[in-house]
Short mmCIF file of all heavy atoms in Angstrom, two decimals:
data_model
loop_
_atom_site.label_atom_id
_atom_site.label_comp_id
_atom_site.label_asym_id
_atom_site.label_seq_id
_atom_site.Cartn_x
_atom_site.Cartn_y
_atom_site.Cartn_z
N THR A 438 168.29 63.02 48.32
CA THR A 438 169.26 62.63 49.34
C THR A 438 168.86 61.41 50.18
O THR A 438 169.71 60.82 50.82
CB THR A 438 169.55 63.79 50.32
OG1 THR A 438 168.30 64.33 50.71
CG2 THR A 438 170.41 64.85 49.69
N THR A 439 167.58 61.02 50.16
CA THR A 439 167.23 59.84 50.94
C THR A 439 167.70 58.58 50.22
O THR A 439 167.65 57.49 50.73
CB THR A 439 165.71 59.68 51.15
OG1 THR A 439 165.09 59.72 49.87
CG2 THR A 439 165.16 60.75 52.05
N ASN A 440 168.18 58.81 49.00
CA ASN A 440 168.56 57.70 48.16
C ASN A 440 170.01 57.29 48.42
O ASN A 440 170.89 58.14 48.50
CB ASN A 440 168.42 58.16 46.72
CG ASN A 440 168.05 57.04 45.84
OD1 ASN A 440 168.82 56.11 45.74
ND2 ASN A 440 166.90 57.12 45.22
N ILE A 441 170.25 55.99 48.51
CA ILE A 441 171.63 55.55 48.75
C ILE A 441 172.39 55.41 47.44
O ILE A 441 173.55 55.03 47.40
CB ILE A 441 171.68 54.20 49.51
CG1 ILE A 441 171.00 53.10 48.68
CG2 ILE A 441 171.06 54.30 50.88
CD1 ILE A 441 171.82 51.87 48.58
N ASP A 442 171.70 55.74 46.33
CA ASP A 442 172.27 55.52 45.01
C ASP A 442 173.50 56.41 44.77
O ASP A 442 173.39 57.63 44.81
CB ASP A 442 171.19 55.83 43.97
CG ASP A 442 171.51 55.25 42.63
OD1 ASP A 442 172.62 55.52 42.14
OD2 ASP A 442 170.67 54.53 42.08
N VAL A 443 174.67 55.79 44.50
CA VAL A 443 175.87 56.60 44.26
C VAL A 443 175.88 57.19 42.85
O VAL A 443 176.74 57.98 42.51
CB VAL A 443 177.18 55.80 44.48
CG1 VAL A 443 177.35 55.40 45.92
CG2 VAL A 443 177.26 54.59 43.56
N THR A 444 174.94 56.77 42.01
CA THR A 444 174.96 57.26 40.64
C THR A 444 173.86 58.29 40.36
O THR A 444 173.56 58.59 39.23
CB THR A 444 174.86 56.10 39.62
OG1 THR A 444 173.67 55.36 39.89
CG2 THR A 444 176.05 55.19 39.71
N GLY A 445 173.24 58.79 41.40
CA GLY A 445 172.34 59.94 41.20
C GLY A 445 170.86 59.68 41.34
O GLY A 445 170.06 60.60 41.19
N GLY A 446 170.46 58.45 41.62
CA GLY A 446 169.03 58.16 41.84
C GLY A 446 168.16 58.63 40.69
O GLY A 446 168.54 58.54 39.52
N MET A 447 166.99 59.13 41.03
CA MET A 447 166.01 59.53 40.00
C MET A 447 166.54 60.68 39.14
O MET A 447 166.26 60.73 37.94
CB MET A 447 164.70 59.91 40.69
CG MET A 447 163.58 60.24 39.74
SD MET A 447 163.25 58.96 38.51
CE MET A 447 162.24 57.81 39.44
N ILE A 448 167.30 61.58 39.74
CA ILE A 448 167.79 62.73 38.97
C ILE A 448 168.82 62.26 37.94
O ILE A 448 168.79 62.65 36.76
CB ILE A 448 168.41 63.81 39.91
CG1 ILE A 448 167.40 64.22 40.99
CG2 ILE A 448 168.88 65.03 39.11
CD1 ILE A 448 166.04 64.66 40.50
N GLY A 449 169.73 61.38 38.38
CA GLY A 449 170.72 60.83 37.45
C GLY A 449 170.02 60.10 36.31
O GLY A 449 170.41 60.21 35.13
N LYS A 450 168.98 59.37 36.66
CA LYS A 450 168.20 58.63 35.66
C LYS A 450 167.60 59.61 34.64
O LYS A 450 167.70 59.42 33.44
CB LYS A 450 167.09 57.89 36.41
CG LYS A 450 166.44 56.77 35.64
CD LYS A 450 165.28 56.14 36.41
CE LYS A 450 165.60 55.65 37.81
NZ LYS A 450 166.65 54.64 37.89
N LEU A 451 166.98 60.66 35.17
CA LEU A 451 166.33 61.63 34.28
C LEU A 451 167.32 62.33 33.37
O LEU A 451 167.02 62.60 32.20
CB LEU A 451 165.58 62.67 35.12
CG LEU A 451 164.17 62.29 35.52
CD1 LEU A 451 163.57 63.37 36.40
CD2 LEU A 451 163.30 62.07 34.28
N GLN A 452 168.51 62.62 33.90
CA GLN A 452 169.51 63.28 33.04
C GLN A 452 169.85 62.40 31.85
O GLN A 452 169.95 62.86 30.71
CB GLN A 452 170.76 63.63 33.86
CG GLN A 452 170.54 64.85 34.72
CD GLN A 452 171.59 65.03 35.80
OE1 GLN A 452 172.27 64.08 36.19
NE2 GLN A 452 171.71 66.24 36.31
N GLU A 453 170.03 61.10 32.11
CA GLU A 453 170.33 60.16 31.01
C GLU A 453 169.17 60.13 30.02
O GLU A 453 169.36 60.14 28.80
CB GLU A 453 170.55 58.74 31.55
CG GLU A 453 171.69 58.58 32.55
CD GLU A 453 173.08 58.76 31.95
OE1 GLU A 453 173.19 58.92 30.72
OE2 GLU A 453 174.05 58.77 32.74
N LEU A 454 167.95 60.08 30.54
CA LEU A 454 166.78 59.90 29.68
C LEU A 454 166.42 61.18 28.91
O LEU A 454 165.96 61.12 27.77
CB LEU A 454 165.58 59.42 30.50
CG LEU A 454 165.81 58.08 31.22
CD1 LEU A 454 164.57 57.70 32.02
CD2 LEU A 454 166.16 56.96 30.23
N LEU A 455 166.67 62.34 29.54
CA LEU A 455 166.39 63.60 28.84
C LEU A 455 167.37 63.78 27.68
O LEU A 455 167.01 64.31 26.63
CB LEU A 455 166.47 64.78 29.82
CG LEU A 455 165.24 64.93 30.72
CD1 LEU A 455 165.53 65.88 31.89
CD2 LEU A 455 164.02 65.42 29.92
N GLU A 456 168.59 63.31 27.87
CA GLU A 456 169.56 63.40 26.76
C GLU A 456 169.07 62.54 25.60
O GLU A 456 169.13 62.95 24.44
CB GLU A 456 170.95 62.95 27.23
CG GLU A 456 172.02 63.43 26.28
CD GLU A 456 173.28 62.57 26.29
OE1 GLU A 456 173.27 61.49 26.89
OE2 GLU A 456 174.26 62.95 25.68
N LEU A 457 168.56 61.35 25.93
CA LEU A 457 168.00 60.48 24.88
C LEU A 457 166.82 61.16 24.20
O LEU A 457 166.69 61.13 22.98
CB LEU A 457 167.50 59.17 25.49
CG LEU A 457 168.50 58.07 25.78
CD1 LEU A 457 167.75 56.84 26.27
CD2 LEU A 457 169.32 57.74 24.55
N ALA A 458 165.96 61.77 25.02
CA ALA A 458 164.78 62.44 24.47
C ALA A 458 165.19 63.53 23.49
O ALA A 458 164.56 63.73 22.45
CB ALA A 458 163.93 63.02 25.60
N SER A 459 166.29 64.22 23.81
CA SER A 459 166.75 65.30 22.92
C SER A 459 167.20 64.74 21.57
O SER A 459 167.30 65.45 20.59
CB SER A 459 167.88 66.10 23.57
OG SER A 459 169.06 65.33 23.58
N LEU A 460 167.48 63.45 21.53
CA LEU A 460 167.87 62.80 20.27
C LEU A 460 166.66 62.13 19.61
O LEU A 460 166.79 61.39 18.64
CB LEU A 460 168.96 61.74 20.54
CG LEU A 460 170.25 62.25 21.17
CD1 LEU A 460 171.14 61.09 21.58
CD2 LEU A 460 170.98 63.19 20.22
N GLY A 461 165.51 62.33 20.22
CA GLY A 461 164.27 61.78 19.63
C GLY A 461 163.93 60.39 20.15
O GLY A 461 163.01 59.74 19.64
N ILE A 462 164.65 59.91 21.17
CA ILE A 462 164.35 58.58 21.72
C ILE A 462 163.58 58.75 23.04
O ILE A 462 164.14 59.20 24.05
CB ILE A 462 165.64 57.77 21.95
CG1 ILE A 462 166.42 57.67 20.63
CG2 ILE A 462 165.32 56.38 22.51
CD1 ILE A 462 167.84 57.14 20.79
N GLU A 463 162.31 58.40 23.01
CA GLU A 463 161.47 58.54 24.20
C GLU A 463 161.66 57.35 25.13
O GLU A 463 162.04 56.26 24.68
CB GLU A 463 159.99 58.61 23.80
CG GLU A 463 159.65 59.85 23.01
CD GLU A 463 158.16 59.92 22.68
OE1 GLU A 463 157.48 58.88 22.72
OE2 GLU A 463 157.69 61.04 22.41
N SER A 464 161.38 57.55 26.40
CA SER A 464 161.44 56.44 27.35
C SER A 464 160.31 56.57 28.35
O SER A 464 159.71 57.64 28.49
CB SER A 464 162.80 56.41 28.06
OG SER A 464 163.06 57.67 28.63
N GLU A 465 160.03 55.48 29.04
CA GLU A 465 158.93 55.48 30.01
C GLU A 465 159.45 54.94 31.33
O GLU A 465 160.17 53.94 31.36
CB GLU A 465 157.82 54.55 29.54
CG GLU A 465 157.18 54.94 28.22
CD GLU A 465 156.75 53.72 27.41
OE1 GLU A 465 155.79 53.05 27.82
OE2 GLU A 465 157.39 53.44 26.38
N ILE A 466 159.07 55.59 32.41
CA ILE A 466 159.39 55.09 33.76
C ILE A 466 158.09 54.57 34.36
O ILE A 466 157.11 55.31 34.43
CB ILE A 466 160.01 56.19 34.65
CG1 ILE A 466 161.30 56.71 34.02
CG2 ILE A 466 160.27 55.65 36.06
CD1 ILE A 466 162.00 57.80 34.84
N ILE A 467 158.10 53.31 34.78
CA ILE A 467 156.89 52.72 35.36
C ILE A 467 157.22 52.01 36.67
O ILE A 467 158.40 51.80 36.98
CB ILE A 467 156.20 51.72 34.38
CG1 ILE A 467 157.12 50.52 34.10
CG2 ILE A 467 155.82 52.42 33.08
CD1 ILE A 467 156.41 49.40 33.32
N ASN A 468 156.18 51.62 37.38
CA ASN A 468 156.39 50.95 38.66
C ASN A 468 156.46 49.43 38.46
O ASN A 468 155.44 48.79 38.18
CB ASN A 468 155.25 51.31 39.62
CG ASN A 468 155.58 50.94 41.05
OD1 ASN A 468 156.42 50.07 41.29
ND2 ASN A 468 154.94 51.60 41.99
N ALA A 469 157.67 48.88 38.59
CA ALA A 469 157.83 47.43 38.41
C ALA A 469 157.46 46.67 39.67
O ALA A 469 157.43 45.44 39.70
CB ALA A 469 159.28 47.11 38.02
N GLY A 470 157.14 47.42 40.73
CA GLY A 470 156.74 46.79 41.99
C GLY A 470 155.27 46.39 41.99
O GLY A 470 154.82 45.66 42.85
N LYS A 471 154.53 46.92 41.02
CA LYS A 471 153.10 46.60 40.94
C LYS A 471 152.86 45.51 39.90
O LYS A 471 153.45 45.56 38.81
CB LYS A 471 152.31 47.86 40.56
CG LYS A 471 152.30 48.89 41.69
CD LYS A 471 151.35 50.04 41.38
CE LYS A 471 151.24 50.96 42.60
NZ LYS A 471 150.63 52.26 42.23
N ASN A 472 151.97 44.59 40.25
CA ASN A 472 151.70 43.44 39.36
C ASN A 472 151.31 43.86 37.96
O ASN A 472 150.49 44.76 37.78
CB ASN A 472 150.54 42.61 39.93
CG ASN A 472 150.98 41.85 41.16
OD1 ASN A 472 152.17 41.77 41.45
ND2 ASN A 472 150.01 41.31 41.89
N ASN A 473 151.88 43.16 36.99
CA ASN A 473 151.47 43.24 35.56
C ASN A 473 151.82 44.52 34.81
O ASN A 473 151.53 44.61 33.63
CB ASN A 473 149.97 42.97 35.39
CG ASN A 473 149.59 41.61 35.95
OD1 ASN A 473 150.37 40.66 35.84
ND2 ASN A 473 148.44 41.52 36.57
N LEU A 474 152.43 45.50 35.47
CA LEU A 474 152.73 46.73 34.73
C LEU A 474 153.83 46.49 33.69
O LEU A 474 153.75 46.96 32.56
CB LEU A 474 153.13 47.87 35.66
CG LEU A 474 152.03 48.48 36.53
CD1 LEU A 474 152.42 49.88 37.01
CD2 LEU A 474 150.72 48.58 35.77
N ILE A 475 154.85 45.73 34.07
CA ILE A 475 155.93 45.41 33.12
C ILE A 475 155.34 44.64 31.94
O ILE A 475 155.57 44.98 30.78
CB ILE A 475 157.04 44.57 33.81
CG1 ILE A 475 157.81 45.43 34.83
CG2 ILE A 475 157.98 43.95 32.79
CD1 ILE A 475 158.98 46.20 34.29
N GLU A 476 154.55 43.62 32.28
CA GLU A 476 153.96 42.79 31.21
C GLU A 476 153.10 43.64 30.26
O GLU A 476 153.28 43.59 29.04
CB GLU A 476 153.12 41.67 31.82
CG GLU A 476 152.48 40.79 30.76
CD GLU A 476 151.62 39.66 31.37
OE1 GLU A 476 151.84 39.32 32.56
OE2 GLU A 476 150.77 39.14 30.64
N ASN A 477 152.21 44.42 30.83
CA ASN A 477 151.33 45.24 29.99
C ASN A 477 152.11 46.25 29.17
O ASN A 477 151.82 46.46 28.00
CB ASN A 477 150.28 45.95 30.86
CG ASN A 477 149.15 45.00 31.21
OD1 ASN A 477 148.80 44.13 30.42
ND2 ASN A 477 148.61 45.15 32.40
N SER A 478 153.09 46.86 29.79
CA SER A 478 153.89 47.85 29.06
C SER A 478 154.65 47.18 27.91
O SER A 478 154.67 47.70 26.79
CB SER A 478 154.85 48.53 30.03
OG SER A 478 155.67 49.42 29.31
N LEU A 479 155.25 46.02 28.19
CA LEU A 479 155.99 45.33 27.12
C LEU A 479 155.06 44.92 25.97
O LEU A 479 155.47 44.88 24.81
CB LEU A 479 156.70 44.08 27.67
CG LEU A 479 157.89 44.33 28.60
CD1 LEU A 479 158.47 43.01 29.08
CD2 LEU A 479 158.97 45.17 27.94
N LYS A 480 153.80 44.66 26.32
CA LYS A 480 152.83 44.29 25.28
C LYS A 480 152.35 45.50 24.50
O LYS A 480 151.56 45.36 23.56
CB LYS A 480 151.61 43.60 25.92
CG LYS A 480 151.89 42.16 26.35
CD LYS A 480 150.66 41.60 27.05
CE LYS A 480 150.77 40.11 27.29
NZ LYS A 480 149.70 39.64 28.20
N GLY A 481 152.76 46.70 24.92
CA GLY A 481 152.39 47.91 24.18
C GLY A 481 151.14 48.58 24.73
O GLY A 481 150.65 49.55 24.15
#
Side-chain angles (χ1 to χ4, degrees):
T438 47
T439 54
N440 211 298
I441 62 132
D442 198 307
V443 294
T444 58
M447 184 54 82
I448 305 307
K450 197 184 306 301
L451 273 177
Q452 283 165 339
E453 301 291 355
L454 300 179
L455 283 166
E456 198 206 10
L457 279 184
S459 73
L460 301 171
I462 304 168
E463 294 183 340
S464 53
E465 298 146 70
I466 300 181
I467 64 171
N468 195 337
K471 291 188 173 165
N472 288 348
N473 302 324
L474 289 201
I475 290 272
E476 180 180 339
N477 280 327
S478 176
L479 290 179
K480 284 176 170 169

